[in-house]
């Protein structure tokens, strides 16, 4: 008596999902939920409120485009990474990891898609913040303030784009390492608020630590991006690269390795 062969579905010839489609899916996952949509909206609204308050209380000579952009960047720096954290940790918090990694078994492509989606979302928010800074500078100029519009490309990049991009990558690295939304948010605020205070206290108590702080503490190394003409020296760029390796590259690598092996339930 012969046994009938069990039919199987051959998917070996099926083309894999394009990376652009995966990025689009991750973007939709980030803003389709009420929490993600309203948080992204709240970030833009916060920038609007902060710029409004600044335009009302700042002295007449401090309402230049550079000042407006700096204020907008300061507001983004604390909250934009949280949007990225929520994007990455959604696989655990919303329990859709099984679906995501079943539809796309190669997890490294999902990681790349999440990173690219985070960059796209951050770019959109930064563009909106820049437009708001331009609008408030124009309003100040129309109201009689002598606003300065001059900004070089390096000032825009070093003083606004680069710090916020670093924040996005740090948020992404923390989220990849912890894969938990509350823990990721707490860890980011500890990194961005508590750690710089601790480094400042230690620097005040020890001149030796003050010299090495920019080499090991990422927030301290980023200070030249926010002061002066936004033109760090060669040594300051080296400090940024060294501390960035410790606080950005290492957590990102460890988090990626963890995500590639973690079992989703």
């Amino acid at each position: 008596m012969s046994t009938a062969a069990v039919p199987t579905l051959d998917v070996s010839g099926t083309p894999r999902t394009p990376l652009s489609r995966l990025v689009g899916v991750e973007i939709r996952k980030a803003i389709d939920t009420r929490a993600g949509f309203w948080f992204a909206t709240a970030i833009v609204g916060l920038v609007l409120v902060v710029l409004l308050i600044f335009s009302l209380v700042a002295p007449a000579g401090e309402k230049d485009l550079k000042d407006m952009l700096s204020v907008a960047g300061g507001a983004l720096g604390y909250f934009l990474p949280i949007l990225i954290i929520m994007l990455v940790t959604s696989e655990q918090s919303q329990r859709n990891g099984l679906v995501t990694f079943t539809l796309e078994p190669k997890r490294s492509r999902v990681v790349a898609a999440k990173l690219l989606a985070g960059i796209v979302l951050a770019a959109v928010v930064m563009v909106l913040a820049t437009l708001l800074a331009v609008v408030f500078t124009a309003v100040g100029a129309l109201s009689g303030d002598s606003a300065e519009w001059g900004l070089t490309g390096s000032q825009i990049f070093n003083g606004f784009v680069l710090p916020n991009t670093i924040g996005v990558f740090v948020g992404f690295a923390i989220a990849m390492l912890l894969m938990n939304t509350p823990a990721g948010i707490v860890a980011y605020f500890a990194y961005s608020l508590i750690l710089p205070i601790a480094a400042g206290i230690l620097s005040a108590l020890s001149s030796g630590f003050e010299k090495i702080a920019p080499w090991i503490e990422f927030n301290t190394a980023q200070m030249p991006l926010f002061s002066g003409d936004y033109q760090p020296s060669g040594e300051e760029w080296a400090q940024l690269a060294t501390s960035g390796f410790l606080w950005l590259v290492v957590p990102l690598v460890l988090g990626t390795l963890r995500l590639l092996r973690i079992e989703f339930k």
Side-chain angles (χ1 to χ4, degrees):
M1 184 175 180
S2 60
T3 304
V6 178
T8 59
L9 179 62
D10 184 12
V11 296
S12 59
T14 304
R16 65 182 184 181
T17 306
L19 183 60
S20 58
R21 187 180 302 170
L22 294 178
V23 173
V25 169
E26 294 299 333
I27 292 176
R28 289 198 300 271
K29 286 164 62 177
I31 60 178
D32 273 356
T33 62
R34 283 179 294 180
F37 174 79
W38 286 111
F39 189 77
T41 304
I43 292 176
V44 179
L46 177 65
V47 173
L48 175 63
V49 171
V50 170
L51 286 174
L52 177 60
I53 296 174
F54 179 78
S55 64
L56 293 176
V57 303
E62 297 182 6
K63 299 181 182 180
D64 302 335
L65 178 58
K66 180 178 70 174
D67 301 317
M68 292 291 181
L69 205 58
S70 177
V71 171
L76 289 181
Y78 286 108
F79 297 100
L80 187 57
I82 298 178
L83 182 64
I84 311 305
I85 291 174
M86 294 171 61
L87 166 66
V88 176
T89 57
S90 63
E91 305 302 338
Q92 285 279 48
S93 62
Q94 299 176 23
R95 299 184 180 275
N96 55 9
L98 283 176
V99 176
T100 298
F101 296 115
T102 299
L103 296 176
E104 179 48 68
K106 195 169 184 179
R107 295 187 179 187
S108 59
R109 301 187 74 231
V110 176
V111 173
K114 286 184 177 293
L115 179 59
L116 292 175
I119 293 174
V120 170
L121 289 172
V124 171
V125 174
M126 283 192 285
V127 168
L128 293 175
T130 302
L131 292 176
L132 289 174
V134 171
V135 169
F136 276 95
T137 304
V139 170
L142 292 175
S143 63
D145 295 327
S146 55
E148 292 287 341
W149 292 88
L151 271 179
T152 64
S154 61
Q155 287 176 326
I156 296 175
F157 179 78
N158 294 340
F160 180 74
V161 177
L162 182 58
N164 283 293
T165 304
I166 289 175
V168 167
F169 278 99
V170 170
F172 186 85
I174 291 175
M176 289 287 294
L177 187 61
L178 300 178
M179 285 302 295
N180 181 278
T181 303
I185 294 174
V186 170
Y188 178 74
F189 276 114
Y191 156 81
S192 59
L193 295 177
I194 299 176
L195 189 61
I197 295 175
I201 294 174
L202 290 175
S203 297
L205 295 176
S206 172
S207 58
F209 183 82
E210 184 180 10
K211 295 178 180 178
I212 66 171
W215 295 96
I216 61 174
E217 208 282 298
F218 204 17
N219 293 287
T220 304
Q222 294 178 58
M223 291 306 297
L225 299 176
F226 305 101
S227 60
D229 57 357
Y230 307 101
Q231 294 289 348
S233 64
E235 182 181 9
E236 290 169 339
W237 281 117
Q239 293 169 347
L240 194 64
T242 303
S243 58
F245 178 81
L246 296 175
W247 290 95
L248 179 58
V249 177
V250 172
L252 183 58
V253 171
L254 294 177
T256 302
L257 292 176
R258 180 174 182 268
L259 182 63
L260 294 178
R261 299 180 180 183
I262 191 174
E263 179 181 355
F264 288 93
K265 298 179 180 180

